[in-house]
């Protein structure tokens, strides 16, 4: 799993206990996952269908830098299933894990449509990307 998205935990991200608010973290994950799905499927019309059990393993505190890792694990006919891990950038300690996030490919009218993908790609809408390049 690659970890490319990093977030700095700031005061506005904290819950009353002084740790990262779970809802904020889930928003960051959903945003990162849908971007990943859009890139993998080559279509901006993608929606979250399902998120499996969310396992909060440890907490993040103000000032921590966290990393979000997303990996495609299955390509369905109209769907893409991924897994996610969030960890502390410095200690590498896992903060959260999600075994399945399912996204569905849609047509412009909001109907599920086959995407024709079977494996991870590094191209988006016809533009090839260098695997080693960090945008």
């Amino acid at each position: 799993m690659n970890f490319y998205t990093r977030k700095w935990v700031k005061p506005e991200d904290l819950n009353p206990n002084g740790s990262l608010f779970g809802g904020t973290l889930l928003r960051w994950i959903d945003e990162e996952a849908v971007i990943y799905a859009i890139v993998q499927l080559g279509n901006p019309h993608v929606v979250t269908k399902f998120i499996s059990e969310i396992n909060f393993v440890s907490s993040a505190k103000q000032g921590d830098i966290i990393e979000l890792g997303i990996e495609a694990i299955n390509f369905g006919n109209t769907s893409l299933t991924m897994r996610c891990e969030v960890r502390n950038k410095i200690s590498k300690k896992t903060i959260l894990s999600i075994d399945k996030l399912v996204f569905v490919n849609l047509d412009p009218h909001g109907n599920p449509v086959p995407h024709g993908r079977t494996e991870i790609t590094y191209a988006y809408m016809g533009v090839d990307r260098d695997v080693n390049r960090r945008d």
Side-chain angles (χ1 to χ4, degrees):
M1 178 178 299
N2 294 318
F3 293 87
Y4 290 123
T5 300
R6 294 175 179 94
K7 297 284 188 180
W8 188 15
V9 180
K10 297 177 280 193
E12 60 266 25
D13 304 322
L14 303 179
N15 63 27
N17 296 320
S19 59
L20 177 60
F21 181 60
T24 298
L25 181 54
L26 292 174
R27 185 184 77 230
W28 292 343
I29 291 167
D30 193 42
E31 180 179 15
E32 181 66 19
V34 77
I35 290 168
Y36 187 95
I38 288 168
V39 170
Q40 289 303 311
L41 302 180
N43 179 12
H45 304 288
V46 177
V47 294
T48 308
K49 164 91 170 117
F50 174 80
I51 298 176
S52 71
E53 179 178 297
I54 300 162
N55 186 11
F56 289 93
V57 178
S58 63
S59 61
K61 302 288 185 190
Q62 182 178 333
D64 286 351
I65 298 169
I66 64 170
E67 311 183 284
L68 285 74
I70 303 283
E71 179 180 40
I73 57 172
N74 186 53
F75 288 81
N77 185 41
T78 63
S79 66
L80 169 61
T81 303
M82 297 170 268
R83 70 182 184 96
C84 173
E85 181 182 347
V86 178
R87 67 184 184 184
N88 182 299
K89 171 66 178 157
I90 306 304
S91 71
K92 305 293 188 214
K93 187 174 183 181
T94 298
I95 295 168
L96 172 147
S97 65
I98 302 173
D99 289 335
K100 290 184 182 179
L101 297 101
V102 179
F103 288 80
V104 175
N105 191 56
L106 303 176
D107 66 19
H109 305 289
N111 301 307
V113 61
H115 49 67
R117 305 294 173 109
T118 58
E119 59 186 30
I120 296 172
T121 182
Y122 296 96
Y124 174 66
M125 297 195 173
V127 178
D128 289 330
R129 294 280 190 198
D130 181 340
V131 170
N132 298 314
R133 185 173 146 197
R134 301 223 6 184
D135 293 331

